[in-house]
Amino acid sequence: LPQITAYVLTGAILGEEAGRLLGLPPSLILVSDDVLERLEVFNTLALALVGMMAGGALDLAVLRERARRYAGLLVGQISVVFLAIVGVVVAVSRLNLGLSIPTLDGLPLQTVLAAALVLGVIGVSLSPAVSLGITQETRARGPVAEAVLGVSVLNNVVTVALFAVALAVARGLVDGGVGGGGEGERLGVSLAMKLGGAVVLGALVGLGVAAWSRLVGALMLLMATGLCFAATFLASRLGVEPLVTFLVAGFVVRNATSAHEPLRRALDTLSLPVWVILCVTVGAGLRLNELGALWPVALGLFVVRAVGTFGGTALGAALGGGPPTLWRLGWLGFVPQAGVGMAMAVAVGREPALGG
């Protein structure tokens, strides 16, 4: 059993939802909602450090050498998974197949399409954090492990842009028509802020790490912690995606500075507690009652996404080349989801037009 899975299951067992289901008194619930609130600051730090570690694992020379392979995988996976989820959601909601998605029952076609578009983009997202955690635990090396991590990082950048487009189109469908030039202009500004802002802020964080390493050379972990909190605060105020910011920061430190090795050694000392905090809080935050009500839908979407991931990886490997193991076994590395996918789901819930 992977350590990440064990940590998530531990969090779910110790969380408040599981305690309520088991009828435990509040004093025996170890990771209550109050505890989760207090751990939020550590969760923020953990996400930032994991993002920097994942970005720092990308070598620019390898990306250039395998650009065609990675581009093929991105195109294949995104297109197949997106079309599979959108098609299944629309078909189940509109055709008499004996199946249903309760939250979409009886809604107009435009609303179903809006939900399908958003679910499709969320389904496309991958998890560099989980990819990094598994490769670190198993000490995996080689073209398949490099492709899984590299494509996962690039996927998050592309997915943020696709999500902004899908959200704008979904709002238009729910409101009775896709907006015109004004909506397009707002979409362009949103994309520029989310991606451009993340790249600029991430580059500044990376250069800040390099400057500290060059001028001070000590207390790297303390410096990285302070920068992570400061950059997370700025990202939230500017409306940019924090995980993409730290992926860029780690990438800049790895490929444009000499601070990669000192930073890696500092982050390695925090690797275990970072993963424990991150995964236990995710597990404890699971809403088991909602999962119990919607588990057939969740399981169905998981199966559709997994099959689409296999097909998309096979198509991507055919387009971009690569060893046969890349699509025979490597597709499994693209199944996990975490940070960006959950952030997008939360963002949809906060949308006045789509939150229901």
Side-chain angles (χ1 to χ4, degrees), residues 1-10 133-134 136-139 271-272 275-276 279-280:
L1 185 70
Q3 291 178 3
I4 290 177
T5 306
Y7 298 150
V8 172
L9 290 176
T10 300
I134 295 298
Q136 284 182 337
E137 179 184 347
T138 59
R139 294 184 174 88
S271 179
L272 180 60
W275 285 114
V276 171
C279 297
V280 168

Side-chain angles (χ1 to χ4, degrees), residues 57-154:
L58 290 183
D59 190 297
L60 183 59
V62 174
L63 286 179
R64 285 174 175 166
E65 178 186 344
R66 296 175 184 167
R68 179 171 172 264
R69 181 183 303 175
Y70 292 2
L73 288 170
L74 278 172
V75 171
Q77 290 173 352
I78 289 174
S79 58
V80 173
V81 172
F82 178 78
L83 291 175
I85 291 178
V86 170
V88 167
V89 170
V90 173
V92 168
S93 301
R94 305 302 295 181
L95 302 179
N96 188 17
L97 301 176
L99 304 169
S100 70
I101 301 176
T103 52
L104 298 181
D105 282 348
L107 294 179
L109 177 60
Q110 292 92 332
T111 305
V112 172
L113 284 174
L117 288 175
V118 173
L119 285 172
V121 174
I122 293 174
V124 158
S125 68
L126 302 178
S127 174
V130 176
S131 300
L132 176 67
I134 295 298
T135 54
Q136 284 182 337
E137 179 184 347
T138 59
R139 294 184 174 88
R141 297 291 184 272
V144 174
E146 289 174 352
V148 168
L149 183 56
V151 172
S152 296
V153 172
L154 296 173

Side-chain angles (χ1 to χ4, degrees), residues 21-35:
L21 291 175
L22 295 173
L24 297 178
S27 59
L28 294 181
I29 299 175
L30 299 182
V31 190
S32 64
D33 289 346
D34 288 340
V35 172

Side-chain angles (χ1 to χ4, degrees), residues 294-317:
L294 291 172
W295 72 265
V297 176
L299 180 61
L301 288 175
F302 171 79
V303 171
V304 170
R305 183 178 176 276
V307 173
T309 300
F310 173 76
T313 304
L315 174 61

Side-chain angles (χ1 to χ4, degrees), residues 174-235:
V174 172
D175 292 338
V178 179
E183 182 68 25
E185 185 178 340
R186 286 192 295 273
L187 175 59
V189 172
S190 174
L191 281 174
M193 284 299 299
K194 285 182 179 295
L195 289 180
V199 170
V200 171
L201 185 56
L204 290 175
V205 172
L207 294 176
V209 171
W212 181 278
S213 176
R214 185 182 182 88
L215 298 175
V216 180
L219 302 174
M220 287 291 290
L221 191 55
L222 180 63
M223 176 277 308
T225 301
L227 267 181
C228 286
F229 281 123
T232 300
F233 173 76
L234 286 174

